[in-house]
Amino acid sequence: MLTLEGPLLTIDVGSRRVETEAIDDVLESFVGGRGVATRLAHERIPFDADPLGSENRLYFTTGPMQASSMSFTGRASATALSPLTDGLLSANAGGFVSRNLLGTGNAVVELVGESDGPLLLHVREDGVTFEEVPYLAGAEVPAVTDYVEAEHDLTAEHLVCIGPAGEHEVRFACIMTSETRAFGRGGLGAVMGSKNVKGITFDGDASPEVDVDAEATTIHREAATSDHIMKRQGTASVTDLANEIGSFPTRYFEDVRYEAFEKINGDRVEAKKYKKGTCSQCAFACKLPTQDEASGVETEGPEFETIMAFGGNCEVDDIVSIMQSNQLCDRLGMDTISCGNAVAAYLKAEDAFGDDELIHETVEKIAHREGDGDLLAEGIHRFHDELGVEDWTVKGMTFSAHDGRTLNGQGLGFATANRGADHMYATFYAYEYPLVDASEAFEPAGLSSAKAEKLVELENKRALEDCGVVCRFSRGMMTEERFETLFDADFDALLDVGARVVELERHFNNQRGFDRSDDDLPYDLPEFEAALDAYYERRGWSDRGVVSENPLGSSVNAD
């Protein structure tokens, strides 16, 4: 089986100590990316750790495919105990940093401890340098990038960093790379901020070689020649369809359709796109560099989820306003979905839907925890009672689009996902839209044991992709046969890797008190409880949603 290569590099940012440790057995069992980091986190983060405390550990890693030249592999992974969900969580980001991380010669970079002042860490092939940077306190993401370029001659492609939101421990703060790409959901930027690490640079030429050129070339050619609409409009292209079938949350989840959707859809985004955008080595080029000459707003996006959160859910019908919200979140370092939905909840409480000026002012206040922004920075689950609005979250994470009230299988997926209401954990929505082959499609309404069984398969496959690390948008090109060829393993064995990752996450969260009561939704779905039972049975978990035994044995991070 093809796996990531290299040691674990542990950086204690409090003591300024660095250690290197061989982890070949972990790599052989979990391939790379999310799997390897989850395995290490399960062993090394105490079950009772404070997500914003020094005992939490933050992992950066990538996968074996980043040593190839294949499209859909420009991604890196980050893992830690989430300050938003209070459970173990992984996020990945596109851009260009993954291959520079690989170039340091390390399979995994682990941060632990807490610095007594703002730090930049420089991880290179020949070691780690600690740079005290008090003058970067409060700096926005572009300013950190400019500093690294000016002082260290390293581009944004070498950097991961946080903005003011991470420093102020906003519970949905992001870690940013290439200025506009985010380790988005779950608040990992707040974890980095709690350790007083402003940024990390990665540089080196130690990347291993992977002999997958023939298959990689075929996939690269298909990515380059595809005429997929995402190459023009990114995920914004789904706006019309989502609205048509009723999976486009609107006015803080009051509705599932937005009457003004045509003013903020993929066509409007494409009209603002001024050049192509992509990730490292990828010929699919689905990113969206956009600008508005009249206002001077320039950003990347918005993608569909941002259009939902800052558009429909805030009742905004101006694409430039949504672009500005997107730009603010990138500069300040915040997840656009969580931030947009938090703002939407605030607008509902204030009876102020559609107030562009208030929206942008509130985004700034959240990042700096000023005024009402201090409360909103805690996330909807923690502030909803005080504002008198419904708690539109699962496990503390607010919903993305692809509304589960219409797409019931996706609703089940929101409930079971270990990291909360995130559509990318299983991507079940793709099988309930009228877009897939009829042999794989499900009717949107209703739940069944067949949907529960499919959900398990999809969660496992998505986890496998996150071990790879392979982009979600490779769907259709990364067939089972190509997985087998590229990873030199039977596909069932690869899916088993994904299943073990999901189970490790679940077991860790079980030790923190998570159970069936957390696999719940703020709305009723027909046959939900029976489908949940079928899901647990398929997983081999108890009817309370609990993994009965430590998957790594009682001697590892024991109860």
Side-chain angles (χ1 to χ4, degrees), residues 233 235-237 239 248-249 258 261 264-266 269 288 301-314 316 319 322 326 336:
Q233 298 185 355
T235 59
S237 60
T239 305
F248 188 19
Y258 186 31
F261 75 95
I264 57 174
N265 65 4
V269 173
L288 302 169
E303 299 284 355
F304 172 58
E305 302 295 335
T306 309
I307 290 172
M308 178 280 294
F310 278 109
N313 243 9
C314 288
V316 169
I319 194 63
I322 301 171
N326 194 112
T336 59

Side-chain angles (χ1 to χ4, degrees), residues 463-536:
L464 168 63
E465 290 169 353
D466 290 343
C467 295
V469 178
V470 180
C471 179
R472 293 285 187 270
F473 301 147
S474 64
R475 184 175 59 241
M477 297 187 201
M478 281 294 290
T479 62
E480 293 183 10
E481 293 75 19
R482 283 176 169 171
F483 266 106
E484 290 182 333
T485 299
L486 293 167
F487 287 87
D488 191 25
D490 181 79
F491 190 69
D492 286 341
L494 292 170
L495 279 185
D496 183 61
V497 173
R500 286 186 283 119
V501 173
V502 173
E503 184 160 86
L504 276 178
E505 293 171 339
R506 173 65 60 143
H507 182 265
F508 189 101
N509 290 355
N510 287 156
Q511 308 316 300
R512 292 181 66 81
F514 287 75
D515 59 19
R516 185 185 187 116
S517 64
D518 298 286
D519 294 343
D520 201 10
L521 296 165
Y523 48 83
D524 293 328
L525 292 180
E527 305 170 307
F528 176 76
E529 295 299 333
L532 197 56
D533 286 336
Y535 173 86
Y536 292 153

Side-chain angles (χ1 to χ4, degrees), residues 142 144-157 159 179:
V144 182
T145 301
D146 290 345
Y147 174 84
V148 167
E149 290 181 347
E151 298 298 322
H152 298 280
D153 197 27
L154 292 174
T155 65
E157 301 174 0
L159 175 68
E179 291 198 9

Side-chain angles (χ1 to χ4, degrees), residues 72-75 93-96 99 181 277-283 285-287 471:
F72 305 110
T73 60
R75 304 194 73 82
F96 301 86
R99 285 173 168 81
R181 313 298 175 84
T278 192
C279 298
S280 175
Q281 301 289 350
C282 190
C286 68
K287 305 314 294 180
C471 179

